[in-house]
Amino acid sequence: MKPIAILGAGLAGLTAAADLKKRGLPVIVFEAGPAIGGMAASFKDAEGFSYDFGAHFVSNRLAKAMGTEDICRTVKHYGEAVLVGGRMRSHPFGLMREPRFALGALKAKLSAKRAPAASAADWFRGAYGEALAEAVAIPLAEAWSGAPAAELAPSVGEKFGHGALKSLYLTAAQVLTGRAVCNGYTREMPESAGVYHVYPEGGLSKLLAPMATSVASNVRLGSPVEKVVVEGGRVVAVRSKGETTPVSAVVSTAPVNVLPKLVEGTAALDELASFRYRPMIFVNLKFEGRGLLPDTMLWVPEGGTPFFRLTEAPISMPWLAPEGKTLITADIGCQVGDEWWTMPDADLAEACLAGMNRIFGDLGPRYLGAGGVIRTSVAYPVHLEKYEAARRRFALATGVEGLWSVGRNGEFAHILMEDVYWRTKRRMEEVAAFVGGGARGAEAADHGRIAA
């Protein structure tokens, strides 16, 4: 049997490779970089400060499924707060103590049935009420997406968590169990008091170690795929480093707007080229003391600062910073090549410190200097309404027989680590059926033609 080519050796790619290999199917993993892991990466400096490539949330259920529960520490607390009206309010219940937010949300809940939302702005107003939407939800959506909420599709709302009653139950469970119970971090699996946040000893890459070991002989590092060759509407080969390899199927984790450039022999994916991702910069700052933020994460919707979110991970995971010290990560939304993207790291750190000083007062005496600065051009998929119909078609199938697209970037979906894992596993059932032939293979082939 011709091998199944997998593009990328991050969480989704390794999950796909390990699953298919366990089924007895031949796989080749093409990884452009010098190491596996993708965005599941952690860094530790000489002073003992550790930070991740962006925010990642790992549940005990995911760690168990990946065979790494024995190396994971339990996270005992996790919480979020919002800066609104110059005051810190816990999310979600502190916000509901504000009468205008509570009354607006109640009015929205009790209002007569509305017409379907035409935009994310409409969705937020219908879900949270006018006051909370205008003061918090819409400014934050615009900050992380870089687009007006009126131009975003209502599907942006799919990324948000449970209703009030389920959130109340899960929040109470955190207090009663002394564990950071997951609340709104998966759509694929149920959340309950028994599903809580953990963190692997040695950093996020350790989470992937068992899968990486199982497929080590199948991974080709430093091997970017230059072309996915399609003939007669079906994938037949991939080309990497000038060498063409015949394949039975391709599983891609590449950003969807890159796929049209990779695929040769069909125009079925051309409409994906207009899909946008939001570039982000993560700036890490070191401080004396701990608990500078009101909780682990602080959302800043009011503007006036370079960042829209601050995260003090050591509040939840104290081992990420030396005792008596802390690390705060500032998230800056930007565009590749703009003034933020091109700003020197030292200047970015100073700008973020100035923004924090406006919120918390002078932190200069406690500031220990900048940690690492990380830039990524594909932090978040931006669900613009103008290509929402194309996005929905792509969510059903790629339109190319034998081609699957998985992972956060590959699905163009607002999903976190656990959903990436379970959704990839389910997609591999389709891949296995397709390459296996017979009635199930024909059914999977039909799935690949849906969007063609």
Side-chain angles (χ1 to χ4, degrees), residues 249-306:
V250 169
V251 178
S252 172
T253 68
V256 298
N257 56 7
V258 172
L259 276 180
K261 301 175 185 177
L262 292 178
V263 175
E264 177 181 84
T266 178
L269 302 176
D270 285 359
E271 62 184 352
L272 305 182
S274 64
F275 285 23
R276 278 180 46 197
Y277 291 85
R278 177 63 158 165
M280 293 285 298
I281 303 171
F282 305 105
V283 183
N284 295 282
L285 297 92
K286 308 173 189 178
F287 294 91
E288 287 281 2
R290 190 165 290 179
L292 274 67
L293 302 189
D295 218 320
T296 314
M297 187 177 290
L298 175 67
W299 296 94
V300 185
E302 297 180 331
T305 63

Side-chain angles (χ1 to χ4, degrees), residues 169-362:
Y169 153 65
L170 293 173
T171 301
Q174 175 171 245
V175 175
L176 292 173
T177 63
R179 300 183 301 217
V181 173
C182 297
N183 190 348
Y185 289 94
T186 176
R187 301 292 182 273
E188 296 296 307
M189 302 289 280
E191 290 185 327
S192 67
V195 182
Y196 51 88
H197 294 291
V198 298
Y199 189 87
E201 294 272 7
L204 285 169
S205 63
K206 300 298 183 183
L207 195 71
L208 307 180
M211 291 195 304
T213 299
S214 71
V215 299
S217 61
N218 305 86
V219 178
R220 297 182 182 179
L221 298 175
S223 300
V225 168
E226 297 147 5
K227 288 296 177 183
V228 175
V229 182
V230 175
E231 294 179 359
R234 179 171 180 154
V235 167
V236 295
V238 298
R239 189 157 60 248
S240 174
K241 300 171 71 173
E243 177 185 350
T244 299
T245 303
V247 298
S248 58
V250 169
V251 178
S252 172
T253 68
V256 298
N257 56 7
V258 172
L259 276 180
K261 301 175 185 177
L262 292 178
V263 175
E264 177 181 84
T266 178
L269 302 176
D270 285 359
E271 62 184 352
L272 305 182
S274 64
F275 285 23
R276 278 180 46 197
Y277 291 85
R278 177 63 158 165
M280 293 285 298
I281 303 171
F282 305 105
V283 183
N284 295 282
L285 297 92
K286 308 173 189 178
F287 294 91
E288 287 281 2
R290 190 165 290 179
L292 274 67
L293 302 189
D295 218 320
T296 314
M297 187 177 290
L298 175 67
W299 296 94
V300 185
E302 297 180 331
T305 63
F307 47 79
F308 66 89
R309 179 171 63 185
L310 296 172
T311 304
E312 188 176 353
I315 289 179
S316 292
M317 296 171 283
W319 56 84
L320 295 182
E323 187 173 352
K325 300 178 182 180
T326 198
L327 188 75
I328 296 180
T329 303
D331 296 8
I332 301 175
C334 60
Q335 298 298 332
V336 174
D338 71 9
E339 63 175 333
W340 292 112
W341 187 266
T342 58
M343 187 177 292
D345 291 358
D347 292 346
L348 282 169
E350 288 300 322
C352 290
L353 179 62
M356 293 178 63
N357 287 340
R358 286 197 289 274
I359 298 172
F360 302 105
D362 184 14

